[in-house]
Amino acid sequence: MGSKGQYRYHWQSHNVKQSGVDDMVLLTKINEDAIVENLKKRYMDDYIFTYIGPVLISINPFKQMPYFGEKEVEMYQGAAQYENPPHIYALADSMYRNMMIDREHQCVIISGESGAGKTVAAKYIMSYISRVSGGGPKVQHVKDIILQSNPLLEAFGNAKTVRNNNSSRFGKYFEIWFSSGGEPDGGKISNFLLEKSRVVMRNPGERSFHIFYQLIEGASEDQRSTLGITSLDYYSYLNQSGSYKVDDINDKKDFQETIHAMNVIGIRPEDRTLVLQIVAGVLHLGNINFKEAGNYAAVENNEFLAFPAFLLGIDQNRLKEKLTSRKMDSKWGGKSESIDVTLNVEQACYTRDALSKALHARVFDWLVESINKAMVKDHQELNIGVLDIYGFEIFQKNGFEQFCINFVNEKLQQIFIELTLKAEQEEYVQEGIRWTPIEYFNNKIVCDLIESKNPPGIMSILDDVCATMHAVGEGADQTLLQKLRVQVNTHEHFNSWNQGFIIHHYAGKVSYDAEGFCERNRDVLFTDLIELMQSSEIRFIRALFPENLTQDKKGRPTTAGSKIKKQANDLVNTLMKCTPHYIRCIKPNETKKPKDWEEGRVKHQVEYLGLKENIRVRRAGYAYRRVFRKFLNRYAILTRESWPTWRGDEKQGVLHLLRSVNMDQDQFQLGRTKVFIKAPESLFLLEETRERKFDGFARTIQRAWRKYLARKKYVQMREEASDLLLNKKERRRHSINRNFVGDYLGMDDRPELRRFLAKREKIDFADKVTKYDRRFKGIKRDLILTPKCLYLIGREKVKQGPEKGQVTEVVKRKIEIEKILGLSLSTLQDDFFILHEQEYDSLLESTFKTELVSLLARRFEERTQRKLPMKFANTLEVKLKKESWGPWSGGGSRQVQFMVGQGEVAMLRPSNKMLQVSIGPGLPRNTRPSKKNFAPSKFPQRYPSRAAPGPPVSHQNGGLKTTNHAAGQRNATYAQNSTQRLQANSTSRPFLPAALSNMQAKERGSRVQPNLECLRVPDQGAAGNGGLQPTANGRTAHRQSVNRPAPGGGRPKPTPKPKPQVPQCRALYAYDAQDTDELSFNADDIIDIIKEDVSGWWTGRLRGKQGLFPNNYVNKI
């Protein structure tokens, strides 16, 4: 498996050929062809994301990509940009972290033409932020609303166009509000210009809004009869364009998602029913047709009035009256009177359509308002804004809606130019940074052509024409064209033609048909229709039309054009208050098929998006800039002089910090008020150094706190553990006061073992134990205890596949805690215990059995609400597993007999069906632990200690695994026990035998390691050798003393300076250092104790060398 575990075959960083460059700043040639070629290479290899510095380029793959799962979320969370391949998660993570670090609002501007993948990009950003931000039930509710708002608003605001099967026909700016701790606890949606004309008409081959098709396909039988739902081609509003089905859209399934989304957001069932009732009402309104009756309009078939009148709760005759006539105010001689005007067929159709459009638009606004109410928050602290707005589009016939959509896109392009090309270059000049200007197209001239007031732009002229317009007809549109030809015809980005006008947008020339421009800009809903809807029996519908018709209207009515212009400028102001991030979406083809690459189309988008200029500015410029004060605040922790605040000139403080990390002079420049850092890698160097500093100090604080808690906890744990065995089992001399560590395997560094556990499953105990089979042959197993299960993990060779012959970890046994029947132990001081389970028992030996038994007993009681059954006897029975083959296939049982022998190491004598274990007497059964080890240390630790790696364990796939100090303690103890068993006839305290020592040295030598000889304490020179003879390997041999020898071996020496009194300990056993920061010693060596630690690893000094050593190998003097 390897130490990388599940990340071994990552989708982009392993086992694949390199496709182009990840960041196009690194391109060797900077021109449109090179950019397009790089994007094509990556697209064809399924890499849809590419960087230009911090800007993300995203190409629509027109298929579901495999790299948006939990694995990628974990991989990109907290990672620097360069660590992983380009991804939208990297940008989302950068936004979230910058918000938390700088305490500044963030926004992402997603731009590109229709069908380039903007809406999907917005969903991935919101999904990522939802997954990485914490929070409780209330926060989860807000997250659910954020995610479920997408399918709901898409149902009512998205439609199939010829360019995009799921085109946003409205714009939205979604603000996610966060608490100071980074949990999303509120939000707000601002929506722009719903293309409501799509309800009543659209281009051939397109559909109306998804909700109409969802309702017809997904309605229940009850809903179909109540709402009058029939087939799709029955409704005039749907059958005019000849498009009903979309290949990759399942309307029936999406309808259920829409209803679910309403439920999550908190829309009441009765309101959900009324929303669908209005949707059906709009469809039925479209089936009311008119005929000529003496130059006036009359309803063609009165039967078609019944259903819409019923669904909208209005009188059928009144509906007929308001559709065919209109009340007009007439002023004459200072008097005002109302007269009823009968409408012609064209005017009646317009009135019907105006009502349908108004109903759908107001339901849409009500849904947005409902979402906002569900996420409302008293005060705003931090926010991330996601702008998902209709893309730039060019159709065969482009009307008023396309004009507004393209204007908003023009404004967004202006923001991008202002902040990435113009402002950046101006900033270098203002700060006195050496800079060669780079030319680019500034589209402000196009924005002014559309929205300028003086001289008047297209929108101002349009509003003037609408103000003098009285009736429906072509006259107003022709007047508009005449005025445009007079006032803006000379503009270099404007041309006129016989039916409309042409604007040279940043993305290309667009021909607009002037027909209907004035009528759609006026966007008037006549008072007759408002009165009609206010007369509805349904309160919900009345609430959608809250206008006060008795008030006198003063001034010009608000037009659609002026509304979108105000919204666009408000949006720009909002975005300017945030730190912006950019995603530039590219559409590779018009066929909407994967792997289809239209070179000309992509090149056109690369040109108008200004990617070449963007690369040139980014390449010549600086990746990071910060005001001196903010830079000092962020990196103050790097040096003592700058923490907590720099006292002195800010510029000198910045220089001091940059020099502290040895940053090259050519990697930064200091301006007048800001520092500029050239390469992202240099910034990452600062960030990593800062992270390490914080990590170190955080560990120091954590260690102090844990040490305090541990003192109390360990006393309690030892007391509880001791109570389990009190008066039942003899205790080992050196284990009674041992500290409990829990994880003796170093599970944090063992992903190959972690993968068998559930995600974030807590580990109570982990150690290497010996498991005895039916023939009493000992096999090593990794035992892991969690709150729910006990695992026994072994090793096996892979028998087939690419890893054949390699050793891998396998779960040999997984026992749920509640399924354990009990434990059996002897009354002697041995380390054996039998784990009883329904199927078969396990005979195990663990050095840390007391700790394991106490934790297992606690978890068993938590799971079952009863005590763990424990048996203490010197003859124990082991139930065997039934085998399907061999002489022992019958299962049965074995006996283990314990008897008093000699020494502290158990001697094993296996026979056919019995194992005899003999061991010397231990401490009396009533022995309890003392509390002396928990006295506060006289030598507090000043620096964070590192987790030193333990001794080597098995190699897997060439990867070397290391463990922590606890693992070192465990392995050292096993080495000691193995040694003692080899010397069965000796009762004296053992030394590490030369053979075993050589074997360990050989095992360590077999690993490919850096040469650490330079880190050793140097051998003593002639002056300090003191007559000790070098051994065969050239190192000085230390004599092993039985009793403490006289200082200096009786040789005379100068009177030493008085030494400070320090605590000392005597070595009980020999210990061979497993790492460069550990001490090696022999039995009976006297070690000065510099620091005691609850981990069981103390710091000491021996023969001039200071290092770590295990406290269970020594006895304090």
Side-chain angles (χ1 to χ4, degrees):
M1 283 291 170
S3 60
K4 289 287 182 188
Q6 63 173 320
Y7 298 124
R8 188 172 175 212
Y9 296 107
H10 175 242
W11 62 274
Q12 195 164 353
S13 59
H14 297 279
N15 302 320
V16 292
K17 64 181 181 181
Q18 183 66 28
S19 289
V21 295
D22 285 354
D23 191 334
M24 290 198 287
V25 171
L26 304 174
L27 283 173
T28 49
K29 291 181 182 176
I30 305 177
N31 54 48
E32 273 86 5
D33 290 335
I35 294 168
V36 171
E37 185 58 32
N38 188 67
L39 292 174
K40 181 181 179 181
K41 271 185 196 171
R42 296 178 63 74
Y43 176 75
M44 289 302 180
D45 286 330
D46 282 342
Y47 306 153
I48 63 171
F49 298 118
T50 310
Y51 291 132
I52 298 178
V55 176
L56 182 71
I57 312 299
S58 172
I59 303 180
N60 191 343
F62 292 108
K63 65 178 180 179
Q64 182 60 48
M65 303 308 283
Y67 36 77
F68 294 97
E70 283 297 329
K71 183 172 73 173
E72 280 72 32
V73 171
E74 288 180 16
M75 191 168 72
Y76 283 91
Q77 189 175 354
Q81 181 178 305
Y82 72 94
E83 288 182 35
N84 295 309
H87 202 292
I88 197 166
Y89 286 170
L91 181 135
D93 191 70
S94 172
M95 266 202 305
Y96 181 69
R97 282 193 295 144
N98 286 354
M99 177 191 73
M100 294 304 299
I101 290 163
D102 297 330
R103 317 305 286 177
E104 291 176 353
H105 303 321
Q106 310 285 312
C107 70
V108 58
I109 301 170
I110 310 171
S111 56
E113 62 184 54
S114 181
K118 298 182 299 301
T119 299
V120 175
K123 285 185 200 170
Y124 279 131
I125 287 172
M126 289 193 275
S127 167
Y128 178 86
I129 290 170
S130 172
R131 282 148 106 176
V132 300
S133 51
K138 183 179 182 298
V139 168
Q140 188 55 49
H141 179 59
V142 171
K143 289 181 181 180
D144 292 340
I145 293 169
I146 289 168
L147 297 178
Q148 290 301 321
S149 67
N150 284 319
L152 179 58
L153 294 183
E154 281 183 20
F156 285 83
N158 284 27
K160 175 193 182 291
T161 68
V162 293
R163 299 177 69 90
N164 183 1
N165 288 346
N166 187 33
S167 178
S168 299
R169 309 315 300 163
F170 71 104
K172 76 168 182 281
Y173 182 62
F174 202 135
E175 291 177 83
I176 306 172
W177 296 342
F178 294 84
S179 66
S180 56
E183 297 94 6
D185 56 359
K188 179 188 174 188
I189 296 175
S190 306
N191 62 306
F192 312 100
L193 187 74
L194 177 71
E195 188 194 24
K196 55 190 177 185
S197 64
R198 184 165 291 272
V199 173
V200 301
M201 61 175 289
R202 67 209 66 91
N203 291 325
E206 297 189 350
R207 294 206 317 178
S208 186
F209 295 107
H210 295 322
I211 186 61
F212 297 114
Y213 306 89
Q214 289 179 8
L215 178 62
I216 292 167
E217 292 290 333
S220 64
E221 285 303 317
D222 184 43
Q223 286 173 323
R224 296 181 80 84
S225 61
T226 307
L227 303 178
I229 302 298
T230 61
S231 61
L232 287 161
D233 56 4
Y234 169 76
Y235 302 99
S236 297
Y237 279 162
L238 302 184
N239 63 24
Q240 57 182 262
S241 61
S243 179
Y244 302 113
K245 303 281 185 184
V246 184
D247 290 342
D248 54 352
I249 290 177
N250 183 335
D251 291 312
K252 189 173 184 178
K253 178 170 162 285
D254 290 348
F255 181 66
Q256 299 307 321
E257 285 187 21
T258 302
I259 299 301
H260 173 67
M262 287 191 194
N263 183 40
V264 169
I265 284 155
I267 295 173
R268 297 179 304 169
E270 53 269 33
D271 288 342
R272 293 203 293 270
T273 303
L274 289 169
V275 166
L276 297 178
Q277 200 167 306
I278 293 170
V279 170
V282 168
L283 288 176
H284 286 289
L285 273 175
N287 282 0
I288 301 172
N289 290 316
F290 304 95
K291 63 184 179 182
E292 286 279 352
N295 292 332
Y296 298 117
V299 174
E300 203 170 75
N301 187 342
N302 287 335
E303 289 179 9
F304 286 103
L305 291 167
F307 234 107
F310 162 69
L311 293 172
L312 300 174
I314 53 179
D315 180 71
Q316 181 177 328
N317 292 324
R318 196 146 188 230
L319 173 62
K320 177 182 176 182
E321 177 195 332
K322 294 300 181 184
L323 290 179
T324 54
S325 66
R326 183 185 306 160
K327 192 180 289 182
M328 293 189 74
D329 292 333
S330 173
K331 289 186 179 179
W332 185 261
K335 292 185 178 181
S336 177
E337 61 176 316
S338 291
I339 54 172
D340 284 329
V341 177
T342 310
L343 305 177
N344 61 29
V345 170
E346 184 188 353
Q347 290 169 331
C349 288
Y350 175 82
T351 304
R352 174 201 66 199
D353 291 348
L355 179 59
S356 299
K357 290 189 291 185
L359 281 166
H360 186 81
R362 294 190 183 210
V363 166
F364 185 82
D365 289 340
W366 181 84
L367 290 170
V368 171
E369 189 183 339
S370 299
I371 295 168
N372 287 340
K373 280 180 181 174
M375 297 189 296
V376 73
K377 181 181 168 185
D378 296 337
H379 63 288
Q380 186 180 331
E381 292 166 271
L382 297 166
N383 78 61
I384 289 178
V386 181
L387 180 63
D388 172 23
I389 208 154
Y390 18 56
F392 188 92
E393 57 189 23
I394 306 173
F395 292 126
Q396 198 66 38
K397 182 180 178 182
N398 301 291
F400 178 73
E401 283 80 7
Q402 278 68 47
F403 173 73
C404 292
I405 286 168
N406 292 343
F407 163 66
V408 173
N409 276 272
E410 201 77 57
K411 292 291 286 185
L412 294 181
Q413 175 70 1
Q414 191 185 358
I415 291 179
F416 184 78
I417 287 169
E418 283 283 338
L419 297 181
T420 61
L421 301 175
K422 181 172 180 280
E424 186 163 338
Q425 297 197 72
E426 287 175 354
E427 186 176 43
Y428 294 143
V429 175
Q430 289 165 7
E431 289 286 326
I433 302 297
R434 295 184 298 279
W435 182 254
T436 305
I438 290 167
E439 295 296 321
Y440 60 92
F441 169 67
N442 190 340
N443 73 329
K444 187 176 186 300
I445 188 171
V446 182
C447 293
D448 289 344
L449 166 66
I450 297 170
E451 66 173 341
S452 175
K453 288 186 176 179
N454 193 15
I458 295 170
M459 280 187 168
S460 294
I461 295 167
L462 178 60
D463 284 351
D464 283 342
V465 173
C466 290
T468 57
M469 174 182 165
H470 295 293
V472 178
E474 295 178 3
D477 295 331
Q478 289 303 316
T479 305
L480 170 67
L481 281 179
Q482 289 167 10
K483 286 200 170 190
L484 288 174
R485 286 170 189 149
V486 170
Q487 297 192 35
V488 296
N489 208 38
T490 56
H491 197 286
E492 60 180 309
H493 292 277
F494 178 90
N495 297 110
S496 62
W497 57 296
N498 57 348
Q499 288 183 301
F501 57 92
I502 299 168
I503 296 178
H504 298 234
H505 286 286
Y506 77 98
K509 294 180 183 179
V510 182
S511 300
Y512 295 103
D513 192 324
E515 183 188 350
F517 247 71
C518 294
E519 198 58 60
R520 289 178 188 172
N521 184 51
R522 279 180 74 195
D523 196 30
V524 175
L525 186 64
F526 296 115
T527 54
D528 300 66
L529 296 178
I530 296 172
E531 284 177 354
L532 175 67
M533 301 319 295
Q534 288 179 346
S535 70
S536 172
E537 298 170 354
I538 302 167
R539 190 172 65 178
F540 180 87
I541 292 176
R542 293 199 303 270
L544 293 178
F545 294 84
E547 288 90 341
N548 185 351
L549 299 178
T550 58
Q551 278 185 340
D552 288 336
K553 296 182 179 66
K554 295 179 181 178
R556 280 187 185 182
T558 306
T559 61
S562 59
K563 193 185 295 180
I564 194 67
K565 184 166 75 171
K566 181 180 183 303
Q567 286 179 330
N569 286 308
D570 288 347
L571 175 64
V572 168
N573 292 333
T574 302
L575 295 174
M576 288 294 198
K577 292 173 186 170
C578 304
T579 302
H581 304 259
Y582 305 96
I583 301 177
R584 312 290 268 168
C585 296
I586 289 177
K587 187 178 184 182
N589 60 60
E590 278 297 338
T591 61
K592 307 186 189 88
K593 292 178 181 174
K595 295 286 178 93
D596 186 7
W597 184 265
E598 294 178 20
E599 193 94 6
R601 173 168 297 283
V602 176
K603 188 173 181 181
H604 174 63
Q605 292 172 77
V606 166
E607 286 171 353
Y608 77 64
L609 289 172
L611 299 191
K612 181 180 74 175
E613 292 79 7
N614 195 195
I615 293 170
R616 288 180 64 199
V617 170
R618 178 56 51 183
R619 193 159 170 169
Y622 293 82
Y624 174 88
R625 74 284 321 272
R626 221 14 153 233
V627 174
F628 291 151
R629 171 50 44 200
K630 282 192 174 181
F631 185 87
L632 283 169
N633 287 344
R634 179 152 182 75
Y635 299 109
I637 199 168
L638 297 188
T639 68
R640 287 177 181 274
E641 293 81 2
S642 56
W643 180 264
T645 52
W646 173 263
R647 292 176 178 80
D649 179 56
E650 289 181 351
K651 196 169 188 175
Q652 291 303 312
V654 171
L655 198 58
H656 165 76
L657 288 174
L658 294 171
R659 285 173 177 164
S660 73
V661 294
N662 299 317
M663 190 178 292
D664 293 339
Q665 185 68 42
D666 62 350
Q667 283 299 306
F668 67 89
Q669 277 200 58
L670 300 181
R672 294 187 178 94
T673 62
K674 294 181 181 178
V675 57
F676 294 82
I677 295 175
K678 196 163 188 67
E681 290 76 13
S682 301
L683 179 63
F684 299 144
L685 168 68
L686 282 164
E687 284 295 313
E688 284 173 6
T689 310
R690 179 179 179 272
E691 288 292 327
R692 281 200 297 270
K693 287 281 187 182
F694 269 115
D695 186 60
F697 289 126
R699 285 172 187 272
T700 303
I701 295 166
Q702 287 173 345
R703 187 172 296 105
W705 175 246
R706 285 173 181 159
K707 193 171 181 179
Y708 166 74
L709 292 179
R711 285 202 184 100
K712 298 199 302 187
K713 178 185 167 189
Y714 286 146
V715 170
Q716 183 187 351
M717 282 177 66
R718 290 198 315 194
E719 293 279 336
E720 288 174 2
S722 178
D723 289 344
L724 284 172
L725 308 182
L726 190 66
N727 294 322
K728 297 171 184 173
K729 186 173 177 65
E730 294 177 1
R731 303 299 302 276
R732 284 192 176 279
R733 183 169 288 105
H734 302 298
S735 74
I736 189 79
N737 286 316
R738 186 185 65 78
N739 295 332
F740 287 179
V741 175
D743 180 9
Y744 298 92
L745 292 178
M747 292 292 289
D748 287 344
D749 299 318
R750 304 290 293 277
E752 73 283 358
L753 297 180
R754 269 269 182 198
R755 65 194 170 93
F756 297 121
L757 278 57
K759 191 173 182 183
R760 295 188 178 88
E761 189 172 2
K762 184 185 174 187
I763 294 168
D764 288 335
F765 181 85
D767 186 26
K768 197 172 282 294
V769 301
T770 304
K771 185 251 180 195
Y772 291 89
D773 63 13
R774 60 181 65 234
R775 285 166 288 182
F776 303 115
K777 179 185 174 185
I779 311 156
K780 293 296 182 205
R781 294 277 186 264
D782 292 326
L783 183 148
I784 301 171
L785 175 67
T786 72
K788 294 181 180 179
C789 296
L790 185 144
Y791 300 82
L792 284 171
I793 298 169
R795 272 95 186 141
E796 282 183 1
K797 278 192 176 181
V798 180
K799 293 178 181 176
Q800 56 188 8
E803 296 182 350
K804 184 179 178 181
Q806 295 183 19
V807 176
T808 187
E809 292 78 8
V810 289
V811 176
K812 290 292 188 179
R813 199 162 189 202
K814 178 182 176 182
I815 307 172
E816 292 175 16
I817 299 293
E818 53 266 37
K819 291 186 178 177
I820 293 173
L821 301 178
L823 285 178
S824 294
L825 301 95
S826 78
T827 62
L828 305 180
Q829 65 159 332
D830 60 275
D831 293 324
F832 285 84
F833 63 95
I834 299 170
L835 188 67
H836 299 286
E837 200 251 355
Q838 192 70 44
E839 196 178 347
Y840 63 95
D841 301 338
S842 292
L843 174 60
L844 304 168
E845 184 183 16
S846 171
T847 311
F848 307 124
K849 66 177 181 313
T850 308
E851 183 176 355
L852 170 60
V853 168
S854 67
L855 289 165
L856 183 59
R858 184 192 299 174
R859 291 302 183 194
F860 183 85
E861 190 170 351
E862 286 172 5
R863 304 287 294 179
T864 64
Q865 309 303 313
R866 57 192 175 89
K867 299 284 186 186
L868 175 67
M870 293 176 66
K871 176 185 175 184
F872 293 88
N874 285 342
T875 300
L876 302 175
E877 192 166 301
V878 184
K879 183 171 68 175
L880 298 179
K881 181 181 181 182
K882 289 185 179 180
E883 300 286 357
S884 58
W885 54 275
W888 296 282
S889 59
S893 63
R894 298 284 185 271
Q895 269 197 351
V896 186
Q897 263 190 1
F898 297 87
M899 55 186 65
V900 178
Q902 290 185 323
E904 294 189 357
V905 178
M907 300 308 305
L908 312 182
R909 294 189 182 87
S911 61
N912 187 23
K913 289 194 174 185
M914 181 183 288
L915 174 66
Q916 283 189 347
V917 181
S918 63
I919 192 167
L923 296 174
R925 297 181 192 182
N926 61 358
T927 308
R928 296 185 66 88
S930 66
K931 299 183 182 181
K932 65 179 181 179
N933 280 10
F934 291 91
S937 172
K938 296 178 184 176
F939 300 93
Q941 186 167 332
R942 293 179 58 195
Y943 303 102
S945 67
R946 59 174 192 78
V953 291
S954 60
H955 290 254
Q956 295 187 12
N957 293 356
L960 179 65
K961 301 189 188 78
T962 59
T963 58
N964 61 9
H965 275 317
Q969 177 176 335
R970 178 253 309 153
N971 281 292
T973 310
Y974 271 114
Q976 164 218 328
N977 285 351
S978 304
T979 305
Q980 291 178 337
R981 287 190 188 183
L982 289 169
Q983 299 177 346
N985 298 327
S986 170
T987 56
S988 61
R989 289 185 183 132
F991 298 107
L992 200 66
L996 191 60
S997 182
N998 291 340
M999 184 177 73
Q1000 288 178 341
K1002 185 176 179 182
E1003 185 181 346
R1004 286 198 300 277
S1006 67
R1007 296 175 288 175
V1008 179
Q1009 287 187 325
N1011 187 347
L1012 300 178
E1013 280 298 314
C1014 60
L1015 300 181
R1016 293 186 180 279
V1017 176
D1019 290 339
Q1020 291 173 316
N1025 200 16
L1028 293 177
Q1029 297 301 314
T1031 61
N1033 62 8
R1035 297 173 67 180
T1036 305
H1038 298 293
R1039 278 200 297 273
Q1040 296 175 357
S1041 54
V1042 179
N1043 298 313
R1044 289 185 65 180
R1051 294 185 295 277
K1053 68 171 188 177
T1055 306
K1057 294 178 182 177
K1059 289 185 179 179
Q1061 288 294 313
V1062 293
Q1064 292 181 316
C1065 57
R1066 183 192 302 276
L1068 299 170
Y1069 317 111
Y1071 179 69
D1072 191 23
Q1074 302 285 326
D1075 211 334
T1076 53
D1077 63 349
E1078 297 178 19
L1079 285 178
S1080 290
F1081 51 81
N1082 292 314
D1084 291 332
D1085 279 353
I1086 304 299
I1087 305 168
D1088 292 342
I1089 302 171
I1090 294 173
K1091 180 189 171 299
E1092 300 176 24
D1093 194 272
V1094 292
S1095 69
W1097 284 87
W1098 291 359
T1099 306
R1101 186 183 292 111
L1102 177 65
R1103 291 184 282 276
K1105 180 178 178 181
Q1106 185 171 313
L1108 296 162
F1109 64 93
N1111 71 350
N1112 58 340
Y1113 273 54
V1114 300
N1115 192 21
K1116 204 167 176 184
I1117 299 173

